[in-house]
Amino acid sequence: MARVGDTIAGRYTLRELFTLGGEGMVWRARDEQLGRDVVLKCPHGSDGVARLRTAARNAARLRHPNIVGVHDIFVDGKVSWLVTEYTPGRSLAELARAAPELARSRAVAVGEQIAGALAHSHERGILHCDVSPENIIVTDTGEARLTDFGSSVDLRSANTGETPDLDSPPGKWRYHAPELARGAPVSPKSDVYALGASLLAVAEGRRPPGRHEMLLAQLTAADPNHRPSATVAATRFAELEQNSRLRNPAVLRRVVIAAAQLVALALLMVAAVAVPPPLPADLVGNPRTADPCALLDPAALARYGRIDLDTDGGNFDTCDLRVRLWGGDEHPDIGRVRLRLSVAAPEPTSQVAVAHIGNISVVSEPAGSARCVRSLALAGGGTVEITGERAAATGPDPCTLADTIATRARELLRQGPIPRRPGPFPADSLAHHDACAQLDPVPLGRVAGIDALHPVAGWAGWSCRWNSTIDGHVTVRYDRDAPKTAASGRPLTLAGLAAFRREGVKTRDDCTVQIEYRHFRGPSDIDRVEVVVVSFTGSQPPQQRCATTTELATVVATNLTR
C-alpha cells in the first residue's frame, strides 16, 4: 500500500491522497525531475488497467486548454500508473455539494469551456463517453477542465477494441443520452447530452427560466438530431456569456464608446473603396508535408456506425474512412470515403456542377448507384478529391458521405492551407523518391511512340506517367497495401526485391508489376508494405506487353536498391 512520502519509479514523490476506492488510488505527487506537481492514478484490477490505457492513448492525442493533459503511462513493480497534469481546484460535483445551486453565470462559463473541449475532441475522432460533474474540474479562477478519458472511444482507430457495449454503455447512467438506453451507439451528440445533463444537475433553480435554461433544454433534447454539436454549443454559451457581460454598466459604457469610435472611423473612410481581406493564395504549401488525413472528420459520419481511419491504404497522397457496423473487427464495411490530393484539376463537362465558394471551386459529379465524387479545386493549384462509396446494400448514400466530408474539408481550408503531417516519413520510405526519376529515356525509348522527355508527375512526385503518341502509356506510382501473395500475380524477384506480375488489372490491355519495397507496421499494428506499381498499357500482344513491363520494372527495382 503506497503512502505519503513514497517515491514511485524513482521519480514521483507522493504528496496527497485524493481518492481511495473501488477504482483505485489517485494521488497528487511531485515530479522530482521536472520540479512540478502531477496527478498519479493507480487502478484496481484488469478493467482498471484497460481504462488507464484507454485514457492515456486517447487523451494524449488532444491538446486543448480545457482538457487535462496526459504526461505518461508506465509500469513500476507490475503496477500500472498514469501521469496527468495537476489542476488545482474542485470538481463540479464538489462545488455543487458545497453550494447546491451553481450560479448561472458560472455555469455558462463552464458550459462554454467544456463544450469547446468536446468540440476539439470530436474533431479528432475521440468521444469522451463519461462527461459528468465528477469529471469537470473548476479552478479558483473559473477555468474549467475536462478529465478522465478512461471510458472514451476512438472513432478513428480500428484496433482499439473500444466498441461500445450496447447493453452497458460507458459512463455514468444518470448522464446517459436516452438513445443509449434504446441500444443506439454512442456518438458526439451523446457527449453533448451528458454536458447538458451535468449542468442541469448543478443549476441554479430559483430564478425564472431564461436563455441559459433554453440552451440546456436543447443540449438534452430526446432526439439527438435536435441537439447542437459541441462546436455550436460552445458558440451559444459564449453568446450567453457575452450578453451577461454587457449587462454590467462599466462594460456597457466601454462598448458604447468603442462603437462611437468605429462610427467616426467609418465616416472618415466613406469615400474609400472597401477591399475585402485577401484569401490565402496557396492552400497546398509543400505537397510532401500536406496531410490528407487532417482533412477527414470521422466524427461527422459517426451516426452511420463505427468509423475507422485508414492512413496506410493507397498512395501517400491518400487517406480513407471505413464505415462499419458497431461490433467486432469482423464486421464488413458498409461504406467508404477516400480523400486524395491531386495536381490535376477536375475536367469541366456538361454533366458536372460547379460552385465557387471563396477561393475554392466545388465540383460535383453525377451520382452513381454506389459511388459519388466531389472535388475541391484550390486557388493556386491542387485538388482535393473526395469519393463516397456504398459498400453494402444497406450502406449509407455515397453522395451524403462525400458531401459531408467535402463540407468539413472546405470549412477547414477556408481557414488556411492543408494542415501538415504530424511528423516526417521514415528515412527508408518510398515517399522520399521521385517516381519520374525511376525510369530514364533509354529504357522508355524501347516503348513505341513514348514521350520519354515529358513525363506527367503526380502529387509530390509519388506517381508518374509517360504517354505514347502512338498507343498506350507507362506509369510508375507508389502504393501501401497488405503484403502480397501468390494471388497478387506471378511471383518474380527483381534486383533482390519480391515482385508480382499480373495482366488485366484495370483493362484488358495492361500488364502490371508490383514491387515490394519496404515492410512496416501500420497504426493498426498490422503488417503493411510500400509497393512500387509499374504498369504498361498498349495494344501489343499480352506476352510482349508483359515482357516490356517486366523490363521496365527491373530498371525501377535496380534504381531503388542502389
Side-chain angles (χ1 to χ4, degrees):
M1 179 71 177
R3 294 176 296 179
V4 172
D6 287 353
T7 300
I8 307 300
R11 174 173 179 175
Y12 302 102
T13 303
L14 302 181
R15 292 289 183 87
E16 179 184 2
L17 179 62
F18 288 150
T19 304
L20 177 60
E23 292 188 359
M25 295 183 293
V26 180
W27 290 85
R28 178 173 66 88
R30 185 69 174 174
D31 183 343
E32 303 296 350
Q33 288 188 14
L34 299 180
R36 63 183 179 184
D37 282 355
V38 296
V39 171
L40 258 60
K41 296 185 178 182
C42 171
H44 286 325
S46 58
D47 289 344
V49 173
R51 280 177 52 88
L52 207 70
R53 291 172 179 167
T54 296
R57 179 174 56 247
N58 292 345
R61 287 176 46 185
L62 307 176
R63 294 289 186 275
H64 192 273
N66 299 111
I67 293 178
V68 174
V70 167
H71 293 322
D72 194 10
I73 184 171
F74 65 90
V75 177
D76 181 57
K78 298 184 179 180
V79 177
S80 296
W81 294 87
L82 176 69
V83 188
T84 70
E85 290 182 80
Y86 170 61
T87 301
R90 292 186 291 175
S91 72
L92 200 58
E94 290 175 310
L95 290 175
R97 286 193 291 269
E101 293 178 340
L102 190 69
R104 187 176 298 181
S105 59
R106 196 169 195 183
V108 168
V110 169
E112 178 192 357
Q113 296 176 68
I114 299 304
L118 289 174
H120 174 84
S121 179
H122 294 168
E123 287 169 1
R124 285 148 185 80
I126 302 295
L127 305 183
H128 187 277
C129 299
D130 194 13
V131 179
S132 65
E134 291 79 7
N135 290 334
I136 297 173
I137 306 298
V138 182
T139 68
D140 292 339
T141 59
E143 180 186 12
R145 307 192 75 187
L146 184 62
T147 187
D148 194 353
F149 279 74
S151 297
S152 59
V153 172
D154 182 354
L155 296 176
R156 296 189 174 198
S157 181
N159 72 316
T160 61
E162 296 157 19
T163 307
D165 181 348
L166 301 184
D167 294 326
S168 180
K172 300 172 182 65
W173 66 267
R174 183 178 179 183
Y175 309 103
H176 279 175
E179 65 269 16
L180 301 184
R182 300 192 295 267
V186 292
S187 73
K189 295 296 182 69
S190 308
D191 279 349
V192 170
Y193 181 96
L195 173 58
S198 296
L199 294 175
L200 280 174
V202 299
E204 182 180 56
R206 289 174 293 185
R207 297 174 58 183
R211 294 182 62 192
H212 172 55
E213 287 72 23
M214 293 175 60
L215 177 54
L216 294 185
Q218 293 173 358
L219 266 60
T220 54
D223 186 343
N225 294 321
H226 295 166
R227 298 174 208 149
S229 67
T231 301
V232 172
T235 301
R236 292 180 182 172
F237 276 117
E239 292 170 351
L240 290 178
E241 190 170 22
Q242 179 72 10
N243 290 339
S244 175
R245 291 179 65 249
L246 289 178
R247 294 191 189 100
N248 184 309
V251 175
L252 182 59
R253 185 165 53 252
R254 290 196 298 270
V255 171
V256 170
I257 293 172
Q261 292 172 339
L262 288 175
V263 170
L265 181 62
L267 291 173
L268 291 173
M269 300 179 64
V270 68
V273 178
V275 179
L279 295 168
D282 180 15
L283 293 177
V284 172
N286 182 349
R288 287 180 179 265
T289 62
D291 185 5
C293 295
L295 295 175
L296 289 172
D297 183 4
L301 303 181
R303 63 184 180 275
Y304 298 115
R306 170 175 167 174
I307 311 300
D308 296 336
L309 183 73
D310 185 0
T311 61
D312 295 317
N315 204 324
F316 302 107
D317 57 17
T318 298
C319 199
D320 298 291
L321 292 178
R322 301 171 59 194
V323 185
R324 305 165 71 186
L325 296 176
W326 282 112
D329 291 344
E330 72 278 0
H331 280 279
D333 294 355
I334 60 173
R336 301 186 191 93
V337 176
R338 165 159 286 195
L339 188 146
R340 187 175 71 90
L341 305 177
S342 172
V343 297
E347 293 186 11
T349 69
S350 59
Q351 294 184 320
V352 302
V354 181
H356 301 285
I357 304 175
N359 52 353
I360 299 174
S361 297
V362 182
V363 181
S364 302
E365 296 184 9
S369 59
R371 189 172 180 271
C372 190
V373 180
R374 300 290 184 256
S375 298
L376 308 180
L378 310 181
T383 298
V384 179
E385 183 181 282
I386 299 165
T387 304
E389 294 184 18
R390 178 188 283 119
T394 58
D397 175 68
C399 285
T400 300
L401 296 177
D403 286 333
T404 300
I405 295 301
T407 299
R408 298 301 180 95
R410 189 184 72 238
E411 292 173 352
L412 185 61
L413 290 167
R414 288 177 62 187
Q415 303 172 22
I418 300 170
R420 301 298 96 183
R421 295 178 184 271
F425 291 102
D428 56 347
S429 172
L430 271 175
H432 299 292
H433 295 271
D434 185 349
C436 292
Q438 305 312 317
L439 287 174
D440 53 47
V442 175
L444 285 168
R446 299 171 191 144
V447 180
I450 206 78
D451 184 357
L453 299 179
H454 300 93
V456 180
W459 186 272
W462 293 327
S463 65
C464 196
R465 173 171 171 149
W466 295 264
N467 293 313
S468 171
T469 58
I470 299 175
D471 171 44
H473 57 269
V474 172
T475 61
V476 174
R477 64 176 177 84
Y478 302 149
D479 196 4
R480 290 167 298 175
D481 203 350
K484 301 301 174 181
T485 66
S488 305
R490 178 183 173 185
L492 304 170
T493 301
L494 304 178
L497 299 176
F500 300 83
R501 187 177 70 195
R502 186 176 175 185
E503 298 179 41
V505 173
K506 290 189 175 180
T507 71
R508 292 186 307 169
D509 298 330
D510 72 25
C511 186
T512 298
V513 175
Q514 300 182 76
I515 307 168
E516 292 190 333
Y517 179 73
R518 183 181 80 93
H519 288 257
F520 65 100
R521 302 285 286 183
S524 300
D525 200 34
I526 58 176
D527 291 329
R528 307 291 285 178
V529 64
E530 292 183 356
V531 178
V532 187
V533 182
V534 183
S535 180
F536 173 40
T537 299
S539 59
Q540 293 89 341
Q543 186 174 359
Q544 179 183 345
R545 186 166 56 240
C546 278
T548 300
T549 307
T550 304
E551 183 178 354
L552 295 174
T554 302
V555 174
V556 171
T558 301
N559 286 335
L560 288 172
T561 54
R562 283 177 178 169

